[in-house]
Amino acid sequence: MNIWMRPERPARGPKPAYSRAQITEAAVRLADAEGLEAATMRRIAAEIGAGAMSLYRYVPSRDDLVDLIADHLMGELDLARLPSGDWRADLTRYACELRAMWLRHPWIAGVQRSRAGFGPNQLRLIERVMGTLDAHVPVDENLSLMALLNGYVEGAAREEVTWAGELRRSGLSEADWLAQSYPRIRQIVDSGEYPIFTKITLEARQPRLSPDERFRHGLERVLDCIALALTEAAAERP
């Protein structure tokens, strides 16, 4: 049974000693400190001062815990006043909020979720974010455009998180890593066999942008595609 269909409090009996919110917040703290694998029921119980087995009355399974964590993270996004009527500003704000959440909790890159939990924060996000385009396009087109936007944000954030992790493991700064890579890059360029790679190395501006600038550059391209879809939808409207 979906965790959101299980009543948190029994209809009768004493008031529960703990809440799902307490358990979820403790799990997120552990994950932030040591990674999601550290957020076991035993560790969570120690964090909040409970017996490990007693927590299963509140959160029956690991999948339920992951659903609670995912919904909690969605609740961190500041979506107040969305939709505002300015779809581009709204989607820019949403995308930046989503990326910031990923960067605060880089361990979510390793979370595998094959199902949607449909928790309250996820539902609020659907209503507010998809609500920005609801008046402009049919619902199927809205779903496709949101998938395009979410795919960009997740891909960009995942790349940032992975790269930061690689630098931490190597013990190098980004400048040191680039300096270490220079001899191989020079060899490839000098070979003359890879003209596109050479053009990227010598002419591309994107690799020289800051992470924030690179993200916003790509985001603007995605929003341009959405703008085109909205223009086409308006032209097709009776």
Side-chain angles (χ1 to χ4, degrees):
M1 180 186 293
N2 185 292
I3 187 65
W4 309 109
M5 297 175 69
R6 299 174 184 269
E8 183 166 6
R9 293 187 176 189
R12 299 175 182 174
K15 178 181 176 181
Y18 305 100
S19 69
R20 286 177 187 162
Q22 284 178 288
I23 294 167
T24 305
E25 288 162 7
V28 171
R29 286 195 299 272
L30 287 166
D32 284 344
E34 303 176 42
L36 185 60
E37 65 280 358
T40 64
M41 284 301 191
R42 181 179 61 80
R43 294 288 303 280
I44 294 169
E47 179 81 6
I48 66 175
M53 294 308 295
S54 69
L55 295 191
Y56 285 100
R57 289 183 297 169
Y58 303 87
V59 183
S61 71
R62 180 71 176 180
D63 284 344
D64 290 326
L65 179 64
V66 171
D67 282 345
L68 289 168
I69 290 171
D71 195 66
H72 175 89
L73 297 183
M74 290 300 101
E76 291 187 3
L77 277 60
D78 180 6
L79 303 178
R81 297 180 298 282
L82 264 64
S84 69
D86 182 342
W87 70 264
R88 193 166 187 127
D90 287 350
L91 294 187
T92 297
R93 180 175 161 193
Y94 161 66
C96 292
E97 285 280 329
L98 186 58
R99 172 184 175 243
M101 186 271 288
W102 267 76
L103 299 183
R104 283 194 302 273
H105 309 290
W107 45 269
I108 68 170
V111 175
Q112 300 296 324
R113 297 179 70 242
S114 59
R115 64 180 189 176
F118 302 119
N121 289 319
Q122 183 185 13
L123 293 172
R124 177 180 67 95
L125 184 149
I126 290 170
E127 294 297 318
R128 293 193 173 183
V129 177
M130 290 193 65
T132 64
L133 298 183
D134 184 58
H136 303 284
V137 293
V139 67
D140 284 314
E141 183 73 354
N142 198 343
L143 285 167
S144 295
L145 295 175
M146 284 302 114
L148 176 68
L149 178 61
N150 285 326
Y152 169 71
V153 176
E154 179 174 337
R158 189 181 293 274
E159 185 174 342
E160 280 191 72
V161 165
T162 301
W163 173 234
E166 287 296 324
L167 288 177
R168 280 196 304 273
R169 281 188 288 274
S170 70
L172 300 173
S173 68
E174 186 167 0
D176 290 339
W177 185 91
L178 289 171
Q180 194 176 78
S181 303
Y182 180 77
R184 174 58 176 159
I185 293 171
R186 185 76 262 171
Q187 181 188 43
I188 296 168
V189 170
D190 288 345
S191 74
E193 296 178 15
Y194 304 96
I196 301 300
F197 180 87
T198 299
K199 182 178 283 191
I200 292 169
T201 301
L202 300 180
E203 300 179 26
R205 176 172 167 265
Q206 281 198 53
R208 296 167 176 80
L209 298 177
S210 70
D212 288 348
E213 291 170 330
R214 201 153 47 237
F215 177 78
R216 289 300 293 264
H217 177 84
L219 178 60
E220 290 302 318
R221 305 290 81 73
V222 173
L223 296 176
D224 288 344
C225 290
I226 294 175
L228 179 60
L230 267 56
T231 299
E232 292 175 348
E236 294 171 2
R237 201 170 294 139

